[in-house]
Every structure is written in C-alpha cells, then in structure tokens.
Amino acid sequence: MKTLPPGQKKSDIFPRFGLPQYANRFPTEIENISFTIGGDVEEFEISETLNSLTRIDQISDFHCVTTWSKLNLNWSGYSFKEFYRKLIQPKASEDITFVILKAQDGYKTSMSLADLMQPNVLLADQLDNQPLNLEHGAPIRIVAPDHYGYKNLKHIKRIEFYSKKQVVKQGYLSFMDHPRARVAFEERA
C-alpha cells in the first residue's frame, strides 16, 4: 500500500476543485492548445511547436491542499524541463528563476523555475488516455506532483518567465498561497 504524504487522505474521486471565485468560470478555448509566452522573454505563441517535444506518459498522484489525494492518475503530455530547454531558454536573454502561470479562467499562480524543472513536471494534455476535459484543465495544464493542486494550473493561457521573483496577487485570498507549496513539507499556505 502506498504511503500518503503527511496530512493527506486517499480519495476515490477526482473532483474539479478550486477557489470559489473561479468555480463557475470556464475557458472558452478548449479544443486547441495555444498559449502565450512572455515576461523577460520576447513574447511569442506556443501551439503546434509542442509536437516537436517527446510525449511522456506518467503515473502520478494529485494532492489537494484541503487534505485529499487522488492516487495513480495516468497523465500524458510534455516534460516542462524539455519544453523550457528547447523552446524557452534559447529565447531568454537573462537567467530565468521565476515563472508566473496564468489560466483562461483568470486564476494565476507562480513557481520557481527550479521546481518546474523537476523530471516529473508535465505540460499535460491527456488524462487516462483521453484529451483533458473541461473539469481537469483542457486543453493543457501543469502537473507538478510534488506540489499541492493549486500550483497545478489548469487551462493554461500564458506563461511568464522572469529573472527575478515577481509579486503575484490572487485577489483577497493571497494569504493562502505558499511560494513553493511542496506536499512533502506540508507547505499549505
């Protein structure tokens, strides 16, 4: 039997879950993968270029900050590390350390580039051998299994890369955000 991280309980369901102000906001573009790159990198669009990357299938767990965990999810997509090295780094004029992720529904979060460069972080477009559905992040999302779900941004619209840490405010709930949100260390907020 798999050992759960501290403070987590196994869930048999994998619900759509998120902050109340985003619960009824749904993206408008879920059929085609297209998002913008910006920040300290000259702005450009990502779409078909993802097909130049190696597709990866990965079994990993999803841990919600509210203490439930859905185990053994079958994700498919592209390594964030390969995505960064092949498509972003050649266009970066500065050393990147910080990333802001923005969703079509208005949600945003941030992560260090070091955390996103871990080998198990994906830009996922499939779950259980099917294209992502609306509830789980269509058309593409971040899967960062070592981090609580609120860092696993759904419905990617824009990714900004910066050389220095930026202030990222999530409305009145900013106090809930932890800079790293690592599950193993219970960095809930």
Side-chain angles (χ1 to χ4, degrees):
M1 183 172 171
K2 187 181 264 191
T3 304
L4 287 167
Q8 296 297 113
K9 298 174 200 102
K10 182 181 177 227
S11 174
D12 292 327
I13 61 170
F14 185 35
R16 175 182 168 86
F17 193 78
L19 295 172
Q21 70 262 44
Y22 303 103
N24 294 315
R25 289 186 192 173
F26 292 95
T28 55
E29 180 53 56
I30 62 168
E31 298 299 320
N32 299 309
I33 295 171
S34 178
F35 55 93
T36 306
I37 301 299
D40 288 340
V41 176
E42 186 175 332
E43 193 163 302
F44 68 100
E45 294 290 319
I46 294 285
S47 55
E48 297 88 26
T49 51
L50 283 176
N51 294 328
S52 68
L53 304 177
T54 306
R55 178 166 286 282
I56 294 174
D57 296 322
Q58 170 178 301
I59 304 291
S60 57
D61 303 335
F62 182 91
H63 306 289
C64 184
V65 72
T66 63
T67 72
W68 60 264
S69 293
K70 178 66 175 157
L71 306 179
N72 302 315
L73 292 165
N74 182 9
W75 299 102
S76 185
Y78 309 96
S79 159
F80 193 93
K81 187 175 189 173
E82 182 185 15
F83 161 76
Y84 179 77
R85 288 201 171 139
K86 287 188 175 177
L87 302 179
I88 308 303
Q89 193 171 29
K91 297 180 185 238
S93 58
E94 301 181 48
D95 288 338
I96 301 300
T97 61
F98 188 78
V99 181
I100 297 175
L101 304 154
K102 296 182 177 182
Q104 290 184 46
D105 62 7
Y107 182 75
K108 60 189 166 192
T109 192
S110 62
M111 293 181 76
S112 71
L113 180 61
D115 284 344
L116 285 166
M117 295 293 278
Q118 296 306 304
N120 62 352
V121 177
L122 295 180
L123 287 165
D125 62 353
Q126 293 182 16
L127 177 60
D128 292 332
N129 301 312
Q130 297 294 319
L132 286 176
N133 61 27
L134 190 61
E135 291 77 23
H136 292 301
I140 193 162
R141 68 172 296 150
I142 293 289
V143 172
D146 298 333
H147 302 268
Y148 288 115
Y150 68 91
K151 294 290 187 181
N152 289 245
L153 185 103
K154 299 180 273 195
H155 319 295
I156 295 172
K157 177 182 180 177
R158 182 174 174 85
I159 303 177
E160 297 174 355
F161 295 88
Y162 293 97
S163 60
K164 294 183 176 116
K165 186 173 183 189
Q166 306 291 305
V167 175
V168 180
K169 295 197 180 239
Q170 193 63 265
Y172 69 93
L173 295 172
S174 295
F175 69 93
M176 293 176 54
D177 193 16
H178 188 281
R180 301 209 49 204
R182 294 172 296 177
V183 176
F185 299 96
E186 286 196 274
E187 296 172 335
R188 293 184 191 273

